Coordinates of all heavy atoms in Angstrom, one line a residue:
M37 N -3.1 -19.7 0.1 CA -2.7 -18.3 0.1 C -1.9 -18.0 1.2 O -2.5 -18.3 2.3 CB -3.9 -17.5 -0.3 CG -3.6 -16.0 -0.4 SD -4.9 -14.9 -0.7 CE -5.5 -15.6 -2.3
E38 N -0.8 -17.3 1.2 CA -0.1 -16.9 2.4 C -0.7 -15.6 3.0 O -1.0 -14.7 2.1 CB 1.3 -16.7 2.1 CG 2.1 -18.0 1.8 CD 3.6 -17.7 1.4 OE1 4.2 -16.9 2.3 OE2 4.2 -18.3 0.7
T39 N -0.7 -15.4 4.2 CA -1.1 -14.2 4.9 C 0.0 -13.4 5.3 O 0.8 -14.0 6.1 CB -2.2 -14.5 5.9 OG1 -3.3 -15.2 5.4 CG2 -2.8 -13.2 6.5
I40 N 0.1 -12.2 5.2 CA 1.0 -11.3 5.6 C 0.3 -10.3 6.6 O -0.7 -9.7 6.3 CB 1.7 -10.5 4.5 CG1 2.3 -11.5 3.6 CG2 2.6 -9.4 5.0 CD1 3.0 -10.7 2.4
F41 N 0.9 -10.3 7.9 CA 0.3 -9.5 8.9 C 1.3 -8.3 9.1 O 2.4 -8.3 9.1 CB 0.3 -10.3 10.2 CG -0.5 -11.4 10.2 CD1 -0.1 -12.7 10.0 CD2 -2.0 -11.3 10.3 CE1 -0.9 -13.8 9.9 CE2 -2.7 -12.5 10.3 CZ -2.2 -13.7 10.0
I42 N 0.6 -7.1 9.1 CA 1.3 -5.8 9.3 C 0.8 -5.1 10.6 O -0.6 -5.0 10.7 CB 1.1 -4.8 8.2 CG1 1.7 -5.6 6.8 CG2 1.8 -3.6 8.4 CD1 1.5 -4.8 5.6
F43 N 1.6 -4.6 11.5 CA 1.2 -4.0 12.9 C 1.6 -2.7 12.7 O 2.8 -2.4 12.5 CB 1.7 -4.9 14.0 CG 1.3 -6.3 14.1 CD1 1.9 -7.4 13.5 CD2 0.2 -6.6 14.7 CE1 1.6 -8.6 13.5 CE2 -0.3 -7.9 14.9 CZ 0.4 -8.9 14.1
T44 N 0.8 -1.7 12.9 CA 1.1 -0.4 13.0 C 0.0 0.3 13.9 O -1.0 0.0 14.3 CB 1.0 0.2 11.6 OG1 1.4 1.7 11.6 CG2 -0.3 0.1 11.0
N45 N 0.5 1.7 14.2 CA -0.5 2.5 15.0 C -1.7 2.8 14.3 O -2.8 2.9 14.9 CB 0.3 3.8 15.6 CG 1.3 3.6 16.5 OD1 1.3 2.5 17.3 ND2 2.3 4.3 16.6
A46 N -1.5 3.3 13.0 CA -2.6 3.7 12.2 C -2.4 3.8 10.8 O -1.2 3.7 10.5 CB -3.2 5.1 12.6
I47 N -3.3 3.9 9.9 CA -3.1 4.1 8.6 C -3.7 5.4 8.1 O -4.7 5.9 8.6 CB -3.6 3.0 7.6 CG1 -5.2 2.8 7.8 CG2 -3.0 1.6 7.9 CD1 -5.8 2.0 6.8
S48 N -2.8 6.2 7.3 CA -3.3 7.6 6.9 C -2.6 7.8 5.6 O -1.4 7.4 5.4 CB -3.0 8.4 8.0 OG -3.2 9.8 7.6
R49 N -3.2 8.7 4.8 CA -2.5 9.2 3.6 C -1.8 10.5 4.0 O -1.2 11.1 3.1 CB -3.5 9.4 2.5 CG -3.9 8.2 1.8 CD -2.7 7.5 1.2 NE -3.2 6.2 0.4 CZ -2.3 5.4 -0.1 NH1 -1.1 5.7 0.0 NH2 -2.8 4.4 -0.8
K50 N -1.9 11.0 5.3 CA -1.4 12.3 5.6 C -0.1 12.1 6.2 O 0.7 13.1 6.5 CB -2.3 12.9 6.6 CG -3.6 13.4 6.0 CD -4.5 13.9 7.1 CE -5.9 14.2 6.4 NZ -6.9 14.8 7.5
N51 N 0.5 11.0 6.4 CA 1.8 10.6 7.0 C 2.5 9.8 6.1 O 2.0 8.8 5.6 CB 1.6 9.9 8.3 CG 2.8 9.6 9.0 OD1 3.7 9.1 8.5 ND2 2.9 9.9 10.3
G52 N 3.8 10.1 5.8 CA 4.6 9.4 4.8 C 4.7 7.8 5.3 O 4.5 6.9 4.3
G53 N 5.0 7.6 6.4 CA 5.2 6.1 6.8 C 3.8 5.4 6.7 O 3.9 4.3 6.2
S54 N 2.8 6.0 7.2 CA 1.6 5.3 7.2 C 1.0 5.0 5.8 O 0.5 4.0 5.6 CB 0.5 6.1 8.0 OG 0.9 6.1 9.4
S55 N 1.3 6.1 5.0 CA 0.8 6.0 3.5 C 1.7 4.9 2.9 O 1.0 4.2 2.1 CB 1.1 7.3 2.9 OG 0.6 7.3 1.7
S56 N 3.0 4.8 3.2 CA 3.7 3.7 2.6 C 3.3 2.4 2.9 O 3.3 1.4 2.1 CB 5.2 3.9 3.0 OG 5.7 5.1 2.5
I57 N 2.7 2.2 4.1 CA 2.1 0.9 4.6 C 0.9 0.6 3.8 O 0.9 -0.6 3.3 CB 1.8 1.0 6.1 CG1 3.1 0.9 6.9 CG2 0.9 -0.3 6.5 CD1 3.0 1.2 8.4
V58 N 0.1 1.6 3.5 CA -1.2 1.3 2.6 C -0.7 0.9 1.2 O -1.1 0.0 0.6 CB -2.0 2.5 2.6 CG1 -3.1 2.3 1.6 CG2 -2.6 2.8 4.0
D59 N 0.4 1.7 0.6 CA 1.0 1.3 -0.6 C 1.5 -0.1 -0.7 O 1.3 -0.8 -1.6 CB 1.9 2.4 -1.2 CG 1.4 3.7 -1.3 OD1 0.1 3.8 -1.5 OD2 2.1 4.7 -1.3
L60 N 2.3 -0.4 0.3 CA 2.9 -1.8 0.4 C 1.8 -2.9 0.4 O 1.8 -3.9 -0.2 CB 3.8 -1.9 1.6 CG 4.4 -3.3 1.9 CD1 5.3 -3.7 0.8 CD2 5.1 -3.4 3.2
A61 N 0.7 -2.6 1.3 CA -0.3 -3.6 1.3 C -1.1 -3.7 0.0 O -1.3 -4.9 -0.4 CB -1.2 -3.2 2.6
N62 N -1.4 -2.7 -0.5 CA -2.0 -2.7 -1.8 C -1.2 -3.5 -2.9 O -1.7 -4.3 -3.6 CB -2.3 -1.3 -2.5 CG -3.5 -0.7 -1.7 OD1 -4.2 -1.3 -1.1 ND2 -3.4 0.7 -1.8
S63 N 0.1 -3.3 -2.9 CA 1.0 -4.1 -3.9 C 1.0 -5.5 -3.6 O 1.1 -6.3 -4.5 CB 2.4 -3.4 -3.8 OG 2.4 -2.1 -4.3
L64 N 1.1 -5.9 -2.3 CA 1.1 -7.3 -2.0 C -0.2 -7.9 -2.3 O -0.2 -9.2 -2.8 CB 1.3 -7.4 -0.4 CG 2.8 -7.0 0.0 CD1 2.9 -7.0 1.5 CD2 3.8 -8.2 -0.4
I65 N -1.4 -7.2 -2.2 CA -2.7 -7.8 -2.6 C -2.6 -8.0 -4.1 O -3.1 -9.1 -4.5 CB -3.8 -6.9 -2.2 CG1 -4.0 -7.0 -0.6 CG2 -5.1 -7.3 -2.9 CD1 -5.0 -6.0 -0.1
E66 N -2.0 -7.1 -4.9 CA -2.0 -7.2 -6.3 C -1.1 -8.5 -6.6 O -1.3 -9.1 -7.8 CB -1.4 -6.0 -6.9 CG -2.4 -4.9 -6.9 CD -1.7 -3.6 -7.7 OE1 -0.9 -3.7 -8.3 OE2 -2.5 -2.6 -7.3
L67 N -0.1 -8.9 -5.8 CA 0.7 -9.9 -6.1 C 0.1 -11.3 -5.5 O 0.7 -12.3 -5.4 CB 2.1 -9.8 -5.4 CG 2.9 -8.7 -6.0 CD1 4.2 -8.5 -5.2 CD2 3.3 -9.2 -7.4
K68 N -1.3 -11.1 -5.1 CA -2.0 -12.3 -4.8 C -1.7 -12.8 -3.3 O -2.0 -13.9 -2.9 CB -1.8 -13.5 -5.7 CG -2.2 -13.0 -7.1 CD -3.6 -12.8 -7.4 CE -3.9 -12.4 -8.8 NZ -4.8 -11.4 -9.1
Y69 N -1.2 -11.9 -2.5 CA -1.0 -12.3 -1.1 C -2.4 -11.8 -0.3 O -2.9 -10.9 -0.6 CB 0.1 -11.6 -0.5 CG 1.5 -12.2 -0.8 CD1 2.2 -11.6 -1.9 CD2 2.0 -13.3 -0.2 CE1 3.4 -12.2 -2.4 CE2 3.2 -13.8 -0.6 CZ 3.9 -13.3 -1.6 OH 5.1 -13.8 -2.1
D70 N -2.6 -12.5 0.8 CA -3.6 -12.2 1.8 C -3.0 -11.2 2.7 O -2.0 -11.7 3.4 CB -4.3 -13.4 2.3 CG -5.5 -13.0 3.2 OD1 -6.2 -12.1 2.8 OD2 -5.7 -13.8 4.2
V71 N -3.4 -10.0 2.8 CA -3.0 -9.0 3.8 C -3.8 -8.6 4.8 O -5.0 -8.3 4.6 CB -2.3 -7.8 3.0 CG1 -1.6 -6.8 3.9 CG2 -1.2 -8.2 1.8
A72 N -3.3 -8.5 6.1 CA -4.1 -8.0 7.2 C -3.3 -6.9 8.0 O -2.1 -7.3 8.4 CB -4.6 -9.0 8.2
I73 N -3.8 -5.8 8.1 CA -3.2 -4.8 8.8 C -3.8 -4.7 10.2 O -5.0 -4.6 10.3 CB -3.2 -3.4 8.1 CG1 -2.4 -3.4 6.8 CG2 -2.7 -2.3 9.0 CD1 -2.5 -2.3 6.0
Y74 N -3.1 -4.7 11.3 CA -3.6 -4.5 12.7 C -3.3 -3.1 13.1 O -2.1 -2.8 13.2 CB -3.1 -5.6 13.7 CG -3.7 -6.9 13.3 CD1 -3.2 -7.8 12.4 CD2 -4.8 -7.5 14.2 CE1 -3.8 -9.0 12.3 CE2 -5.3 -8.6 14.0 CZ -4.9 -9.5 13.0 OH -5.4 -10.6 13.0
T75 N -4.3 -2.4 13.6 CA -4.1 -1.0 14.0 C -4.8 -0.9 15.4 O -5.6 -1.6 15.8 CB -4.5 0.0 13.1 OG1 -6.0 -0.1 13.1 CG2 -4.1 -0.2 11.7
C76 N -4.5 0.3 16.0 CA -5.1 0.7 17.4 C -6.6 0.8 17.3 O -7.4 0.5 18.2 CB -4.6 1.9 17.9 SG -2.7 1.7 18.3
F77 N -7.1 1.4 16.0 CA -8.5 1.6 15.8 C -9.1 0.6 14.9 O -10.4 0.8 14.7 CB -8.6 3.1 15.3 CG -8.4 4.2 16.3 CD1 -7.2 4.9 16.0 CD2 -9.0 4.3 17.5 CE1 -6.9 6.0 16.9 CE2 -8.7 5.3 18.3 CZ -7.6 6.1 18.0
G78 N -8.5 -0.3 14.3 CA -8.9 -1.2 13.4 C -9.5 -0.6 12.2 O -9.1 0.3 11.7
F79 N -10.9 -1.2 11.8 CA -11.4 -0.7 10.5 C -11.8 0.7 10.6 O -11.9 1.5 9.7 CB -12.7 -1.5 10.3 CG -13.2 -1.3 9.1 CD1 -12.6 -1.8 7.9 CD2 -14.5 -0.7 9.0 CE1 -13.3 -1.6 6.7 CE2 -15.1 -0.4 7.7 CZ -14.5 -0.9 6.5
L80 N -11.9 1.3 11.8 CA -12.3 2.8 11.9 C -11.2 3.6 11.4 O -11.5 4.8 11.0 CB -12.5 3.1 13.4 CG -13.7 2.5 14.1 CD1 -13.9 2.9 15.6 CD2 -15.0 3.1 13.5
D81 N -10.0 3.2 11.1 CA -9.0 4.0 10.7 C -9.4 4.4 9.2 O -9.0 5.6 8.8 CB -7.6 3.1 10.4 CG -6.7 3.4 11.6 OD1 -6.8 4.2 12.3 OD2 -6.1 2.4 11.9
K82 N -10.2 3.6 8.5 CA -10.5 4.1 7.2 C -11.4 5.3 7.3 O -11.5 6.1 6.3 CB -11.3 3.0 6.5 CG -10.5 1.8 5.7 CD -11.3 0.9 5.1 CE -10.5 -0.1 4.3 NZ -11.3 -1.0 3.5
F83 N -12.1 5.5 8.4 CA -13.0 6.6 8.5 C -12.4 7.7 9.2 O -12.7 8.9 8.9 CB -14.3 6.1 9.2 CG -15.1 5.1 8.5 CD1 -15.1 3.7 8.9 CD2 -15.7 5.2 7.3 CE1 -15.6 2.6 8.2 CE2 -16.3 4.2 6.5 CZ -16.3 2.9 7.1
I84 N -11.6 7.4 10.3 CA -11.0 8.5 11.0 C -10.0 9.2 10.3 O -9.9 10.5 10.2 CB -10.4 7.9 12.4 CG1 -11.4 7.4 13.3 CG2 -9.6 9.0 13.1 CD1 -11.0 6.5 14.5
Y85 N -9.0 8.4 9.6 CA -8.0 9.1 8.9 C -8.3 9.2 7.4 O -7.5 9.7 6.7 CB -6.7 8.3 9.1 CG -6.3 8.3 10.6 CD1 -6.3 7.1 11.2 CD2 -5.7 9.5 11.2 CE1 -6.0 7.1 12.6 CE2 -5.4 9.5 12.5 CZ -5.5 8.2 13.2 OH -5.1 8.3 14.5
K86 N -9.5 8.9 7.1 CA -9.8 8.9 5.6 C -8.8 8.4 4.6 O -8.5 9.2 3.6 CB -10.4 10.2 5.4 CG -11.5 10.6 6.2 CD -12.3 11.8 5.7 CE -13.5 12.3 6.7 NZ -13.7 11.7 7.8
A87 N -8.3 7.2 4.9 CA -7.2 6.8 4.0 C -7.9 6.4 2.6 O -8.9 5.8 2.5 CB -6.7 5.4 4.5
T88 N -7.3 7.1 1.6 CA -7.9 6.8 0.2 C -7.0 5.7 -0.5 O -6.0 5.3 -0.1 CB -7.8 8.1 -0.6 OG1 -6.4 8.6 -0.7 CG2 -8.8 9.1 0.1
N89 N -7.6 5.3 -1.6 CA -6.9 4.4 -2.5 C -6.4 3.1 -1.7 O -5.3 2.6 -1.7 CB -5.7 5.0 -3.2 CG -6.0 6.0 -4.1 OD1 -7.1 6.0 -4.7 ND2 -5.1 7.1 -4.1
V90 N -7.5 2.6 -0.9 CA -7.1 1.3 -0.1 C -7.9 0.1 -0.9 O -9.2 0.2 -1.2 CB -7.8 1.4 1.3 CG1 -7.6 0.2 2.1 CG2 -7.1 2.7 2.0
N91 N -7.1 -0.9 -1.1 CA -7.6 -2.0 -1.8 C -8.8 -2.6 -1.0 O -8.8 -2.7 0.2 CB -6.7 -3.1 -2.0 CG -7.0 -4.2 -2.9 OD1 -8.1 -4.9 -2.8 ND2 -6.4 -4.2 -4.0
K92 N -9.9 -2.9 -1.7 CA -11.2 -3.5 -1.0 C -11.0 -4.8 -0.5 O -11.7 -5.1 0.5 CB -12.3 -3.6 -2.1 CG -12.1 -4.4 -3.2 CD -13.2 -4.6 -4.1 CE -12.9 -5.6 -5.2 NZ -14.0 -6.2 -5.8
N93 N -9.8 -5.4 -0.9 CA -9.6 -6.8 -0.2 C -8.6 -6.6 1.0 O -8.4 -7.6 1.6 CB -9.0 -7.6 -1.2 CG -9.8 -8.1 -2.4 OD1 -10.9 -8.2 -2.2 ND2 -9.3 -8.1 -3.5
L94 N -8.2 -5.5 1.3 CA -7.3 -5.3 2.5 C -8.1 -5.4 3.7 O -9.2 -4.8 3.9 CB -6.7 -3.9 2.3 CG -5.8 -3.5 3.6 CD1 -4.7 -4.5 3.7 CD2 -5.2 -2.2 3.4
K95 N -7.6 -6.2 4.6 CA -8.4 -6.4 5.9 C -7.7 -5.6 7.0 O -6.5 -5.6 7.2 CB -8.2 -8.0 6.4 CG -8.9 -8.9 5.4 CD -8.7 -10.3 6.0 CE -9.2 -11.2 4.8 NZ -8.1 -11.7 4.0
I96 N -8.5 -4.6 7.6 CA -7.8 -3.7 8.7 C -8.6 -4.3 9.9 O -9.7 -4.1 10.1 CB -8.2 -2.3 8.3 CG1 -7.7 -2.0 7.0 CG2 -7.6 -1.5 9.5 CD1 -7.9 -0.5 6.5
K97 N -7.7 -4.7 10.9 CA -8.3 -5.3 12.2 C -7.8 -4.6 13.3 O -6.8 -3.9 13.3 CB -7.9 -6.8 12.2 CG -8.4 -7.6 11.0 CD -8.0 -9.0 11.1 CE -8.5 -9.7 10.0 NZ -8.3 -11.2 10.1
L98 N -8.4 -4.7 14.5 CA -8.1 -4.1 15.8 C -7.0 -4.9 16.4 O -7.2 -6.2 16.5 CB -9.4 -4.0 16.5 CG -9.4 -3.4 17.9 CD1 -9.0 -2.0 17.8 CD2 -10.6 -3.5 18.7
L99 N -6.0 -4.3 17.0 CA -5.1 -4.9 17.8 C -5.8 -5.4 19.1 O -6.6 -4.7 19.7 CB -3.9 -3.8 18.2 CG -3.0 -3.7 17.2 CD1 -2.1 -2.5 17.6 CD2 -2.0 -4.7 16.9
P100 N -5.5 -6.6 19.6 CA -6.0 -7.2 20.7 C -5.7 -6.3 21.9 O -4.6 -5.7 22.1 CB -5.5 -8.6 20.8 CG -4.9 -8.9 19.5 CD -4.5 -7.6 18.8
N101 N -6.7 -6.2 22.9 CA -6.5 -5.4 24.2 C -5.2 -5.8 24.9 O -4.6 -4.9 25.6 CB -7.7 -5.5 25.1 CG -8.9 -4.7 24.4 OD1 -8.7 -3.9 23.6 ND2 -10.1 -5.0 24.8
D102 N -5.0 -7.1 25.0 CA -3.9 -7.4 25.9 C -2.5 -7.0 25.4 O -1.6 -6.9 26.2 CB -3.9 -9.0 25.9 CG -3.7 -9.8 24.6 OD1 -3.8 -9.2 23.6 OD2 -3.4 -10.9 24.6
I103 N -2.5 -6.6 24.2 CA -1.1 -6.0 23.8 C -0.9 -4.5 24.4 O 0.2 -4.3 24.7 CB -1.2 -5.8 22.2 CG1 -1.1 -7.1 21.5 CG2 -0.1 -4.8 21.7 CD1 -1.1 -7.0 20.1
F104 N -2.0 -3.8 24.7 CA -1.9 -2.5 25.3 C -1.6 -2.7 26.7 O -1.3 -1.7 27.4 CB -3.2 -1.7 24.9 CG -3.4 -1.4 23.5 CD1 -4.4 -2.0 23.0 CD2 -2.5 -0.6 22.9 CE1 -4.6 -1.7 21.5 CE2 -2.7 -0.3 21.5 CZ -3.7 -0.9 20.8
Q105 N -1.9 -3.7 27.3 CA -1.8 -4.0 28.8 C -0.4 -4.6 29.1 O -0.1 -4.9 30.2 CB -2.9 -4.9 29.3 CG -4.2 -4.2 29.1 CD -5.3 -5.2 29.5 OE1 -5.1 -6.4 29.9 NE2 -6.6 -4.7 29.3
Q106 N 0.6 -4.6 28.2 CA 1.9 -5.1 28.5 C 2.7 -4.0 29.3 O 2.5 -2.9 29.1 CB 2.6 -5.4 27.2 CG 1.9 -6.5 26.3 CD 2.0 -7.8 27.0 OE1 3.1 -8.1 27.7 NE2 1.0 -8.7 26.8
K107 N 3.7 -4.5 30.1 CA 4.5 -3.5 30.8 C 5.7 -3.3 30.1 O 6.2 -4.0 29.4 CB 4.8 -4.1 32.3 CG 3.6 -4.3 33.2 CD 4.0 -4.8 34.7 CE 2.7 -4.8 35.4 NZ 3.0 -5.1 36.7

């Protein structure tokens, strides 16, 4: 199974772009792709931004610290 990685600041249903990322990820999962979204808050995005209609198989992960330490 191929894995698709998506990097974004956050996921939310309150923002058009972020909401579209969730919709895209859900659609890719339905097409049998393994999808991982990397955000600044990781899995906490589901609770902070209360993203609804998120596929249970969607992996939401934390961006590594060294990315934020780039000049």
Side-chain angles (χ1 to χ4, degrees):
M37 182 182 297
E38 292 184 43
T39 302
I40 297 175
F41 300 97
I42 300 173
F43 298 89
T44 185
N45 289 335
I47 59 167
S48 171
R49 286 294 186 186
K50 296 177 183 177
N51 179 313
S54 296
S55 184
S56 296
I57 289 173
V58 174
D59 292 335
L60 175 65
N62 285 340
S63 297
L64 289 168
I65 289 171
E66 288 180 20
L67 292 171
K68 308 295 185 218
Y69 286 94
D70 186 29
V71 180
I73 295 180
Y74 284 84
T75 70
C76 297
F77 294 113
F79 189 73
L80 289 175
D81 272 332
K82 280 188 177 179
F83 302 107
I84 294 171
Y85 297 108
K86 303 203 180 356
T88 56
N89 299 325
V90 178
N91 190 299
K92 64 178 177 152
N93 294 324
L94 178 60
K95 298 175 190 101
I96 302 174
K97 301 181 178 187
L98 182 66
L99 283 168
N101 286 340
D102 59 343
I103 288 178
F104 297 108
Q105 296 174 3
Q106 299 291 324
K107 292 186 177 180

